């Protein structure tokens, strides 16, 4: 019985912590930047670099890894274009000092090398706060197979 009570206490604390960051003013800025990331990707908007850390790392579901310079080059060449990016789930938010990890799922469709694609992705994003601004530091995606 003590183990169950302890587990419930830990679960409650974890949920409270996630809700605490999401409802704070600081958390709202972070969630706003997270939404901007999706919007900028979908619209191929060059302002995306404003919310990326200079040492950002993107790990794509196909094993492709990009640093900041690779991302800027590929983004401006429209190597990949997104028609739609829709978040379907936000499952975890964990904060430690000026770092937040977010686990979420998205549904994406677009074109890669003139080939249309549509997939569901699980994402792990690491955001860091520099001064008062949240910047994406790392993002790893994994395709969710039906």
């Amino acid at each position: 019985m003590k183990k169950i009570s302890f587990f419930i206490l830990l679960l409650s604390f974890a949920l409270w912590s996630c809700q605490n960051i999401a409802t704070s003013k600081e958390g709202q800025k972070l969630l706003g930047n997270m939404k901007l990331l999706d919007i900028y990707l979908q619209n191929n908007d060059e302002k995306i670099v404003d919310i990326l850390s200079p040492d950002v790392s993107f790990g794509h579901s196909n094993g492709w890894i990009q640093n900041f310079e690779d991302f800027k080059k590929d983004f401006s060449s429209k190597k990949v274009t997104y028609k739609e990016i829709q978040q379907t789930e936000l499952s975890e938010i964990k904060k430690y000092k000026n770092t937040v990890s977010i686990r979420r799922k998205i549904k994406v469709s677009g074109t890669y090398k003139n080939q249309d694609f549509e997939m569901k992705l699980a994402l792990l994003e690491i955001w860091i706060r520099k001064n008062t601004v949240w910047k994406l530091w790392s993002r790893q995606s994994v395709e969710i197979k039906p």
Side-chain angles (χ1 to χ4, degrees), residues 5-23:
S5 298
F6 182 69
F7 176 75
I8 291 171
L9 178 64
L10 281 178
L11 181 62
S12 299
F13 179 73
L15 292 173
W16 175 80
S17 295
C18 287
Q19 191 171 12
N20 190 28
I21 182 71
T23 57

Side-chain angles (χ1 to χ4, degrees), residues 2 11 29 33 46 65 69 101 115 140:
K2 285 184 179 183
L11 181 62
K29 287 181 182 180
N33 276 10
E46 295 291 327
I65 298 174
E69 292 305 317
S101 70
Q115 198 72 15
Q140 178 64 54

